[in-house]
Amino acid sequence: MRVLLTGGAGFVGSHIADLLTGRGHEVVVLDNLLPQAHSGVPEWTSELVRGDVQDMELVTRLLRGVDAVCHQAAVVGHGLDPSDAPLYVRNNDHGTAVLLAAMHAAGVDKLVLASSMVVYGEGRYVCASHGDVRPGPRLAADLGAGRYEPACPLCGDSLAWALIDEDAPLDPRSTYAATKVAQEHLASAWARQAGGNVWALRYHNVYGPRMPRDTPYAGVASLFRSALQRGEAPTVLEDGLQRRDFVHVHDVAMANVLALETSVSGFVPINVCSGSPHTVGELATELASAYGGPMPRIVGGARSGDVRHVVASPVRARVVLGYEAQVGFAEGVKAFATDPLRA
């Protein structure tokens, strides 16, 4: 199979390229090496077409003879503030629109899209009195007072988190999240209009070798690791009890390969997760211990748009893709303490 891999020099994309090549597939890597993620051409990148997915002429040329597209190119992470919105929309949404138009023109009908758990906003919550409920955004006054857990919008009682599946409503609560929802909607519309077929892989918190470091566009695992390398204690917001599913990049790459090798009809979203949630505080503590650095500092507060708990159901991925994470939390975090990061 010949695959066009956008963002193929990046964190997740480079691991996908390695796995695809190792399984005998032909890979065309396209990456514009955005400075938010790259200081230059990464050493692990062999053959690379340097260019932008927004370049219709270039993308159309690269699609010749391609069987499927694996679309990883995106600006990711929390970013700085709303002034980042044009950067996110231009690269994530306009870039995806150009890619889909070029795929339609070239007759390429299969797409594997890198989506994210951020499309859900808050995860799934259950009230003892009202069952499944959707809490509203957390108020600044509550966060400032150390009240981090969302309350039932109907009775105000405390809620229990639960595993979220792919049929949950989408509720983006940051600029990045809004652009990922838009990517999914664009891909879904393309699938209906053009007879295309899409796996939308909703990554949960990815970590592992080749993460970018020292950047506001990096994930929390990289921010913790970067602090430890500077000899500083990792800074944990809120009370450290916010819960996520940390999934190793090798497992995420394998999910992409399985999606490329598996037929799909229409638009199908999939959680890509480990199936074993942990708190952010646990991640910081385990990483600091493995690194041999100072223990984390719990500092309270919260970033605007942050959500409390997002933990995923792995069932659909197992049933339709045969995907199950192979790298356990303890094993992966211990390795991550010394894994190479991208400068």
Side-chain angles (χ1 to χ4, degrees):
M1 174 171 50
R2 182 176 172 87
V3 177
L4 173 61
L5 174 59
T6 73
F11 170 39
V12 176
S14 64
H15 287 276
I16 297 170
D18 289 347
L19 285 181
L20 285 172
T21 301
R23 291 164 79 98
H25 299 297
E26 184 179 358
V27 184
V28 179
V29 172
L30 172 66
D31 203 301
N32 67 355
L33 301 178
L34 272 178
Q36 287 80 7
H38 300 273
S39 59
V41 180
E43 61 183 18
W44 53 78
T45 303
S46 51
E47 297 183 26
L48 167 69
V49 177
R50 184 166 184 175
D52 201 307
V53 74
Q54 300 174 70
D55 185 339
M56 182 75 168
E57 182 179 353
L58 172 63
V59 173
T60 300
R61 175 167 57 83
L62 294 179
L63 283 168
R64 293 172 189 158
V66 161
D67 301 296
V69 174
C70 187
H71 184 31
Q72 305 295 313
V75 179
V76 302
H78 202 83
L80 298 173
D81 56 47
S83 65
D84 283 332
L87 173 73
Y88 278 102
V89 172
R90 191 167 54 246
N91 285 278
N92 297 2
D93 299 337
H94 183 254
T96 298
V98 171
L99 175 64
L100 292 170
M103 290 177 67
H104 176 58
V108 180
D109 66 358
K110 183 169 185 180
L111 174 69
V112 175
L113 172 67
S115 187
S116 171
M117 57 90 174
V118 297
V119 300
Y120 297 123
E122 286 286 353
R124 180 183 168 203
Y125 292 89
V126 179
C127 172
S129 301
H130 297 100
D132 276 22
V133 295
R134 295 287 295 172
R138 296 183 295 168
L139 301 178
D142 288 335
L143 297 174
R147 294 187 294 269
Y148 302 117
E149 295 290 343
C152 176
L154 301 176
C155 67
D157 284 352
S158 59
L159 300 173
W161 61 265
L163 299 182
I164 194 165
D165 65 26
E166 294 85 352
D167 295 326
L170 306 186
D171 186 16
R173 300 194 178 184
S174 68
T175 299
Y176 171 55
T179 64
K180 298 311 283 186
V181 170
Q183 281 187 306
E184 286 202 11
H185 285 331
L186 287 166
S188 179
W190 170 81
R192 290 192 300 271
Q193 293 173 321
N197 302 290
V198 183
W199 292 111
L201 304 185
R202 293 173 178 166
Y203 303 163
H204 286 253
N205 286 67
V206 189
Y207 72 99
R210 305 178 186 172
M211 284 192 86
R213 70 184 186 201
D214 295 322
T215 165
Y217 300 93
V220 66
S222 177
L223 297 178
F224 291 163
R225 168 69 189 278
S226 296
L228 289 165
Q229 285 190 238
R230 296 191 301 268
E232 301 170 2
T235 299
V236 180
L237 298 179
E238 303 187 24
D239 55 4
L241 299 180
Q242 58 271 45
R243 198 168 291 269
R244 300 290 189 269
D245 188 306
F246 298 100
V247 57
H248 195 270
V249 66
H250 182 273
D251 289 323
V252 174
M254 181 54 70
N256 277 271
V257 172
L258 292 172
L260 286 163
E261 294 177 344
T262 303
S263 297
V264 61
S265 179
F267 176 89
V268 181
I270 298 288
N271 284 328
V272 177
C273 60
S274 73
S276 178
H278 292 270
T279 67
V280 173
E282 284 180 89
L283 172 68
T285 300
E286 290 286 328
L287 186 58
S289 178
Y291 191 86
M295 287 293 104
R297 295 186 302 116
I298 310 295
V299 298
R303 297 183 302 183
S304 174
D306 269 355
V307 298
R308 182 60 172 174
H309 305 296
V310 188
V311 292
S313 168
V315 173
R316 182 180 293 180
R318 183 170 63 245
V319 171
V320 301
L321 287 182
Y323 163 82
E324 290 188 80
Q326 300 300 307
V327 181
F329 180 77
E331 170 194 358
V333 172
K334 182 178 179 180
F336 183 60
T338 55
D339 279 336
L341 301 184
R342 182 167 66 240

